Every structure is written in structure tokens, then in C-alpha cells.
């Protein structure tokens, strides 16, 4: 798919002026100064087509539009751009509402563009009466031929000079259902020689014998996007119609429609660069294909760049808003590093969530000089950065689990964790020395036999000697097994510079956790000490999108701890 190409070119993270002060706001400031819109409030909208779930790119548009209205004490509409009955579905309407609300977008009005079909029809009639629109019988193919190219001017349609009366009659008949799909279209009458192809008598209404989710079978003619959009904006009193760059060439037609209809104080269209992210594909069409072919479990699969997916993954609205603020609003396309998004969620969770000890790949440790039936309670702080978050007690006894990664039989240089003869601190507990390695028949290390120094108990003020490594552990007797899903990017580099789905984007393991994790509530987030951030969720696919989670408990990895951002 060609759109995969565009998102690829990894550039330096684009951090331009924050949304709090961007070129769009400069335009608005000027409009306020010059009273371009009189006493009208600044009015923006977010106009999704309900043909898929929203993604992180849409979040940028929501933050910009809702944020702008908020900044200027203006208004903001959530408008479903549902004028194309062929592609839309009500399932998406509910998900979009939920996602915008979750992000914190507060709309003044929730609107369906299809509610304006009557007005739009009247506007088309008005254009016909002004001699600015005509019914054309050319087939789609012929229209294409007549349109010309960037270098060759178009040819006028032989139907262009029909009388106003004939056009009114034919358009009425189109509406009455007299013609088949594609038999006739209504076109604006502008200029077939215009250097801008969008101005070469574009189609504004077409026949489509299709039921519409909102208007049912009332209509068999539907307005085309370029005609409908300026009307939707104008009807709602939108002042600044913010859209992505690919609509720049459509702006002259947007203005033409409202000028010919003599709309008082018409809205103005302003274009900004869409968000592209490394390792991410954002086209709804492509994301839908991944859902349909089972590459992912649903639109809200935690690997998806959808807002529903990010929410399930454990992202917070605060982190996403912070991200949108940091990337800012620019007029030139660029690709943002996904590590910036990851940085934002780490920053948000760092001081909000408690830490827990969880061993993902267990290796058994036996402390040979620790009494067989003794258990001590060790105090561990809940968040190292926020002492007010208190502490909790963890059981410690003779048999423990540590991470396999925290042991090396033959240590590499600068390895300060467990290896034969080395002493490390067990977080919040004792100094422990590895003495002996137990292997199975195949030579795999299955157990470490260690000793502890009772003098070194954490908090006892011991200052006798220092160790370089601190590792985490759980008590084997009381540990609870937990299902953990570790995620990698859904997309990786494929051939000829395109992204392709990563066959190893999810790995499921059983970890061993401190006992308190058994009581985690759905949606509760934690830092797994030294591992990353995780959210308590439910089995993939068990949830109804937007509904309560069901199924078995699973901890989804939100993000790991290492930060490649900012790059020093
Ligand atoms: P896609 O191409 O991903 O299917 P779309 O542009 O067709 O998206 P719409 O539902 O038409 O999706 O978009 C609603 C609004 O969101 C539009 O104003 C659009 O410009 C904006 N938008 C869509 N994708 C992005 C993006 N990647 N970055 C910023 N804004 C976006
Ligand atoms: Mg679209």
C-alpha cells in the first residue's frame, strides 16, 4: 500500500512551537484584533468520518481543535462527517464519541453532517439558479478524460450550457430517483482551464441508491465532500476550519462555494501537517485490514496506534495530550519518533504509580545460611520519587526468585550483578553472595546457592562495605504467578522502505509477582521494578470495545523503562 511509504522516512523528532502558541493561533489573534468574525466566538470542530476507529493522528487534531476553542473561550463541535453512505458504520460513531471524551475533548454540540442534507440540497439549487451549477451526463470515465492534467487544461462538458430551467428539472429528477447511480451528476460551473484541477467544474452531487445510517432511504442523491464540508462549517458558525495539508489545493473551492452562496462571515480553512510516527501506520483503511485479516485481535488491540488500543495498552489521556503539545503544529510534513510518545507516558506515570517486584524470567535462589522456616517482612518504598506514597511490607525467606538476566556464570566487564563469588544487594533486604551454581542434565543453570549477611539488612544503617549492584527478587513461597504480555512495535521495516507487521510484536510469559499483585484492579497501573510500566487488564479479545473488560487477568506492558529520549 502506497501510504505505508510516507510514514517511513525517520527524521529527527519534530518539535516545533507548542500548541499553546502556534501559527494557527497567530491567525486567530489577528482575526480577533480585526474583528473578522464580529462578536462571534472562535469556533472549531473535529469532523471524523465514522469509517473506523480514531488513531493517534486524530488525537493531534482533537487536541488542536478542542484546545484552541478552550484557549479562546470559544466553542468546539464533534461532527460526524457522514455524507458518504457507502463507507460508514454506526459502530464507529460510539467508539469515536468514547475516544474523544476520554481524551478530554469537551464538545459544545455533537452533530451529524447528514442532518444538513436538506440545507445542502437547497444550496445546490441556489447555485443552479445562479447559473453556477449544471447537471452533466458524462460518465465517470469521460469526466476524467475531460478533466485534463496538471499541464493540459480540461475540456468543457457538452452539457455545460444547459438552461437553468433544464438543470433545475434534471436535478429534481435526480432526487426523485429517476436516474441510476452514475447516470448524472451535478457539477459546479467554474473554469475548465484553471491550473487547479479542483476548480475544473467539480462534481458536487451524485446519485447513489444507498440507505444512509441516519436518513434511511430519504435520499438517493448525496453531496460530495468538497461541497458538503464548507457548508457544514458555515452552518455551524465555525470560524476556523482546521484540516490537514492535503486539503490545501481544495481551499479555493471551499471559498468558492461560500462566496457563491453569499455566506456572511464565512469560515476560513487553515491547513496543518498531519502527524506521522515512526514504526506506525495510521491510515484507517490499513488498520481496518489488520483487524479484518486477524493480524490484530481488534481495533483496541494494545499494539494498535488507535486511541482505543493506546487506552487498553495503559496510556493516559494526560500523556497523549502532553505528546500533542510537544510535537506542536507545523505547516510542513515530518515524522515524529515514537520514542517521544513513550517518553511522555513514562513522564506521566513516573510520579503517579506504585512500584511492584515481579520476576519475568525466574531463576531460583536458595540462601543456604537462612533458617528454613523463618520469614521476615521487608519494607519497600512504593515510589522512590514520591516518599509520600509510602511503603509496603514484602515477605522474604530462604527461597527466592531473581531474574535470569541478573546472573552470569562468566561475567562480562562491568557486570555488577550475580556471578559466582560476587555480592549484591537484594533490594530492600540483605547483601547476598552467590557461592554455587546448580545445573540440570543439559547444563542449564537452575538454581543459585547463596549466603546472606545478617548485618546488612536494609535500613539497619550498615556501613561496613558497599556493593555495586542492586537487584530485585520475590519470595518463592508467597509469589503469585501472573500472565504478562510484552509488546514490541506492530510495524517494522520491510522491503522497499515500507512498514510491515512485525511477526513478534507480542510475547506472553508467566511471571512471579509479590503477593499484592493478586489484588490488582482492572486498569490499575504499576511500575514493575527495573522492568517497565504495566497495566492490569484482561485477555485480548475478551473485551467488547468500549465495554467492560472480561476474561482472564493479564498485565499488559505499557512501556519499558529505558529511555532513548531525549537523545543526549
Ligand atoms: P485516515 O487517512 O487515517 O483514514 P482521515 O483523514 O480519512 O484519516 P477523518 O475521519 O477524515 O480521517 O479525519 C478527521 C480529522 O482528523 C480530519 O480533520 C483530519 O484532517 C484529521 N486527521 C486525520 N489523520 C490525521 C493525522 N495523522 N494527523 C493529524 N490530523 C489527522
Ligand atoms: Mg477521510
Amino acid at each position: 500500500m502506497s501510504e505505508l511509504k510516507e510514514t517511513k522516512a525517520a527524521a529527527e523528532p519534530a518539535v516545533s512551537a507548542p500548541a499553546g502558541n502556534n501559527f494557527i493561533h497567530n491567525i486567530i489573534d489577528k482575526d480577533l484584533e480585526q474583528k473578522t468574525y464580529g462578536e462571534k466566538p472562535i469556533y472549531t470542530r473535529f469532523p471524523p468520518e465514522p469509517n473506523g476507529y480514531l488513531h493517534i493522528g486524530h488525537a493531534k487534531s482533537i487536541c488542536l481543535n478542542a484546545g484552541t476553542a478552550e484557549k479562546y473561550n470559544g466553542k468546539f463541535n464533534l461532527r460526524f462527517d457522514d455524507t458518504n453512505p457507502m463507507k460508514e458504520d454506526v459502530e464507529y460513531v460510539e467508539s469515536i464519541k468514547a475516544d474523544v471524551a476520554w481524551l478530554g475533548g469537551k464538545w459544545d454540540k455533537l452533530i451529524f453532517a447528514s442532518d444538513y442534507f436538506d440545507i445542502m440540497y437547497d444550496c445546490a439549487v441556489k447555485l443552479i439558479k445562479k447559473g453556477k451549477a449544471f447537471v452533466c451526463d458524462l460518465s465517470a470515465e469521460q469526466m476524467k478524460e475531460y478533466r485534463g492534467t496538471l499541464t493540459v487544461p480540461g475540456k468543457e462538458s457538452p452539457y455545460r450550457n444547459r438552461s437553468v430551467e433544464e438543470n433545475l428539472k434534471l436535478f429534481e429528477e435526480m432526487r426523485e430517483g429517476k436516474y441510476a447511480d452514475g447516470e448524472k451528476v451535478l457539477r459546479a460551473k467554474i473554469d475548465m482551464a484553471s491550473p487547479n484541477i479542483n476548480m475544473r467544474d467539480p462534481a458536487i452531487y451524485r446519485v447513489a441508491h444507498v440507505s444512509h445510517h441516519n436518513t434511511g432511504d430519504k435520499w438517493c442523491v448525496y453531496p460530495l465532500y468538497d461541497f458538503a464540508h464548507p457548508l457544514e462549517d458555515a452552518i455551524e458558525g465555525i470560524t476556523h476550519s482546521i484540516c490537514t495539508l492535503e486539503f490545501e489545493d481544495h481551499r479555493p473551492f471551499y471559498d468558492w462555494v461560500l462566496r457563491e452562496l453569499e455566506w456572511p462571515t464565512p469560515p476560513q480553512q487553515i491547513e496543518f501537517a498531519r502527524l506521522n510516527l515512526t514504526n506506525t501506520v495510521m491510515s484507517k483503511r490499513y488498520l481496518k485490514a489488520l483487524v479484518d485479516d486477524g493480524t490484530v485481535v481488534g481495533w483496541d488491540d494494545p499494539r494498535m496506534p488507535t486511541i482505543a488500543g493506546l487506552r487498553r495498552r495503559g496510556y493516559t489521556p494526560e500523556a497523549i495530550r502532553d505528546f500533542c503539545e510537544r510535537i506542536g503544529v507545523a505547516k510542513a510534513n515530518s515524522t515524529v519518533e515514537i520514542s517521544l510518545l513513550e517518553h511522555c507516558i513514562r513522564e506521566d506515570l513516573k510520579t503517579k504509580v506504585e512500584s511492584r517486584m515481579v520476576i519475568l524470567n525466574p531463576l531460583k535462589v536458595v540462601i543456604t545460611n537462612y533458617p528454613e522456616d523463618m520469614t521476615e517482612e521487608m519494607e519497600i518504598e512504593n515510589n522512590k520519587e514520591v516518599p509520600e506514597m509510602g511503603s509496603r511490607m514484602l515477605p522474604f525467606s530462604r527461597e527466592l526468585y531473581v531474574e535470569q538476566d541478573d546472573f552470569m556464570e562468566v561475567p562480562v566487564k562491568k557486570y555488577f550483578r550475580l556471578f559466582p563469588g560476587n555480592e549484591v544487594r537484594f533490594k530492600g533486604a540483605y547483601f547476598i553472595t552467590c557461592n554455587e551454581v546448580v545445573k540440570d542434565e543439559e547444563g542449564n543453570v537452575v538454581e543459585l546457592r547463596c549466603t546472606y549477611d545478617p548485618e546488612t539488612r536494609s535500613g539497619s544503617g550498615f556501613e561496613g562495605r558497599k556493593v555495586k549492584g542492586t537487584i530485585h527478587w520475590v519470595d518463592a513461597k508467597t509469589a503469585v504467578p501472573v500472565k504478562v504480555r510484552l509488546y514490541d512495535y506492530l510495524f517494522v521495516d520491510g522491503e522497499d522502505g515500507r512498514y510491515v507487521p512485525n511477526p513478534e510484536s507480542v510475547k506472553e510469559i508467566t511471571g512471579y509477582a509479590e503477593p499484592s499483585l493478586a489484588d490488582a484492579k482492572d486498569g490499575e497501573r504499576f511500575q514493575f521494578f527495573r522492568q517497565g510500566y504495566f497495566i492490569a487488564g484482561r485477555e485480548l479479545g475478551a473485551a467488547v470495545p468500549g465495554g467492560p473488560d472480561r476474561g482472564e487477568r493479564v498485565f499488559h506492558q505499557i512501556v519499558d523503562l529505558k529511555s532513548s529520549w531525549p537523545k543526549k
Side-chain angles (χ1 to χ4, degrees), residues 333-547:
N333 280 316
S334 63
T335 299
V336 176
E337 290 283 342
I338 196 162
S339 58
L340 178 58
L341 180 62
E342 294 166 351
H343 173 72
C344 291
I345 186 66
R346 283 190 202 101
E347 281 294 298
D348 186 40
L349 297 182
K350 196 165 74 181
T351 54
K352 276 189 187 166
V353 304
E354 294 191 1
S355 132
R356 294 287 182 269
M357 302 250 249
V358 182
I359 300 297
L360 298 179
N361 296 296
L363 174 61
K364 195 171 190 183
V365 164
V366 178
I367 304 173
T368 50
N369 62 339
Y370 196 89
E372 293 262 2
D373 41 3
M374 185 163 102
T375 293
E376 287 176 89
E377 294 289 319
M378 300 300 183
E379 184 175 7
I380 311 274
E381 74 265 327
N382 287 329
N383 185 319
K384 219 162 61 191
E385 312 226 358
V386 189
E388 304 84 75
M389 285 175 77
S391 61
R392 65 193 185 284
M393 305 306 286
L394 283 197
F396 179 95
S397 65
R398 183 180 156 93
E399 294 193 356
L400 307 158
Y401 292 123
V402 298
E403 284 297 340
Q404 286 173 17
D405 275 357
D406 285 335
F407 170 77
M408 277 188 113
E409 193 169 9
V410 183
V412 293
K413 234 181 161 180
K414 298 213 167 154
Y415 187 82
F416 300 122
R417 292 172 267 168
L418 286 170
F419 55 86
N422 193 42
E423 186 175 48
V424 300
R425 174 186 291 286
F426 273 34
K427 166 82 178 165
Y430 294 104
F431 285 11
I432 288 179
T433 305
C434 173
N435 302 310
E436 200 187 325
V437 178
V438 182
K439 294 183 183 175
D440 64 12
E441 280 154 20
E442 278 129 48
N444 302 310
V445 177
V446 291
E447 189 180 303
L448 304 179
R449 299 185 72 79
C450 302
T451 47
Y452 83 118
D453 178 353
E455 300 284 294
T456 59
R457 186 175 165 143
S458 197
S460 68
F462 175 78
E463 282 184 0
R465 61 188 181 279
K466 291 204 183 324
V467 290
K468 280 197 169 141
T470 297
I471 68 170
H472 67 290
W473 50 272
V474 295
D475 172 52
K477 224 177 358 209
T478 53
V480 290
V482 288
K483 208 185 242 190
V484 177
R485 285 221 176 85
L486 303 173
Y487 295 111
D488 195 355
Y489 298 124
L490 187 53
F491 302 104
V492 288
D493 292 347
E495 280 166 36
D496 58 350
R498 296 174 190 209
Y499 283 134
V500 293
N502 175 3
E504 286 166 20
S505 54
V506 58
K507 192 166 123 195
E508 187 179 304
I509 56 175
T510 299
Y512 287 90
E514 59 174 85
S516 69
L517 223 54
D519 305 323
K521 294 181 188 59
D522 283 348
E524 216 178 338
R525 299 175 180 86
F526 302 96
Q527 187 195 102
F528 287 3
F529 186 68
R530 295 177 68 220
Q531 312 273 23
Y533 292 97
F534 290 78
I535 184 167
R538 296 283 160 179
E539 199 57 66
L540 281 184
V544 179

Side-chain angles (χ1 to χ4, degrees), residues 262-278:
E262 292 155 53
W263 214 285
T265 55
Q268 62 180 302
Q269 176 181 304
I270 305 171
E271 309 85 16
F272 72 102
R274 64 168 49 227
L275 169 68
N276 297 310
L277 263 186
T278 57

Side-chain angles (χ1 to χ4, degrees), residues 23 196 198 243-255 269-272 331-333:
F23 80 94
N196 183 340
N198 296 299
C243 64
T244 39
L245 273 184
E246 67 273 20
F247 290 100
E248 200 165 16
D249 288 348
H250 298 234
R251 184 169 8 112
F253 183 62
Y254 182 103
D255 292 339
Q269 176 181 304
I270 305 171
E271 309 85 16
F272 72 102
K331 195 85 196 175
N333 280 316

Side-chain angles (χ1 to χ4, degrees), residues 49 51 87 247 284:
E49 205 182 339
N51 62 352
K87 293 197 297 184
F247 290 100
K284 276 185 282 193

Side-chain angles (χ1 to χ4, degrees), residues 12-280:
E12 277 298 291
V15 181
S16 48
N21 177 26
N22 61 49
F23 80 94
I24 294 175
H25 293 172
N26 296 341
I27 294 173
I28 295 177
D29 288 338
K30 209 173 230 165
D31 284 333
L32 285 172
E33 206 182 290
Q34 298 172 345
K35 290 199 183 298
T36 312
Y37 298 96
E39 300 305 318
K40 275 173 40 175
I42 297 303
Y43 213 138
T44 62
R45 86 287 174 263
F46 174 65
E49 205 182 339
N51 62 352
Y53 278 58
L54 299 181
H55 51 60
I56 180 79
H58 293 114
K60 176 175 176 180
S61 178
I62 295 165
C63 290
L64 176 59
N65 280 294
T68 296
E70 200 177 309
K71 171 172 174 180
Y72 291 98
N73 219 347
K75 291 182 177 232
F76 166 70
N77 286 354
L78 171 57
R79 178 206 307 148
F80 289 99
D81 207 331
D82 60 349
T83 54
N84 180 357
M86 267 79 104
K87 293 197 297 184
E88 291 146 10
D89 201 310
V90 270
E91 173 200 345
Y92 301 129
V93 169
E94 290 311 312
S95 77
I96 290 171
K97 278 200 272 190
D99 290 349
V100 175
W102 179 78
L103 260 182
K106 292 186 195 72
W107 56 81
D108 289 276
K109 286 190 193 153
L110 187 143
I111 286 165
F112 291 87
S114 54
D115 285 340
Y116 305 142
F117 280 161
D118 284 292
I119 307 178
M120 289 171 179
Y121 185 84
D122 292 346
C123 287
V125 168
K126 186 168 176 186
L127 288 182
I128 295 174
K129 285 183 177 161
K130 276 186 85 175
K132 296 291 180 178
F134 67 99
V135 173
C136 183
D137 299 3
L138 292 180
S139 67
E141 226 159 80
Q142 287 169 318
M143 265 181 67
K144 212 172 180 185
E145 254 174 61
Y146 275 65
R147 194 179 297 137
T149 65
L150 281 176
T151 46
V152 180
K155 256 189 337 191
E156 292 190 352
S157 160
Y159 305 98
R160 197 173 198 259
N161 294 316
R162 278 175 163 154
S163 68
V164 168
E165 289 68 36
E166 192 184 2
N167 281 320
L168 285 173
K169 178 174 150 277
L170 292 172
F171 189 47
E172 176 68 27
E173 286 174 358
M174 279 167 68
R175 180 173 82 155
E176 283 166 357
K178 244 185 135 169
Y179 304 110
D181 294 6
E183 205 178 329
K184 285 188 169 32
V185 292
L186 183 70
R187 297 174 69 178
K189 193 170 176 178
I190 313 179
D191 178 8
M192 288 308 290
S194 171
N196 183 340
I197 292 180
N198 296 299
M199 297 298 271
R200 294 183 189 170
D201 295 2
I204 59 178
Y205 253 94
R206 62 182 166 157
V207 178
H209 293 270
V210 190
S211 267
H212 186 280
H213 77 92
N214 183 23
T215 56
D217 292 321
K218 178 172 176 196
W219 296 93
C220 64
V221 287
Y222 292 97
L224 281 121
Y225 179 88
D226 277 351
F227 178 62
H229 206 84
L231 295 179
E232 294 160 19
D233 287 341
I235 293 164
E236 289 168 28
I238 302 302
T239 54
H240 298 83
S241 175
I242 302 169
C243 64
T244 39
L245 273 184
E246 67 273 20
F247 290 100
E248 200 165 16
D249 288 348
H250 298 234
R251 184 169 8 112
F253 183 62
Y254 182 103
D255 292 339
W256 182 93
V257 169
L258 297 176
R259 193 167 60 241
E260 291 302 336
L261 291 169
E262 292 155 53
W263 214 285
T265 55
Q268 62 180 302
Q269 176 181 304
I270 305 171
E271 309 85 16
F272 72 102
R274 64 168 49 227
L275 169 68
N276 297 310
L277 263 186
T278 57
N279 291 91
T280 309

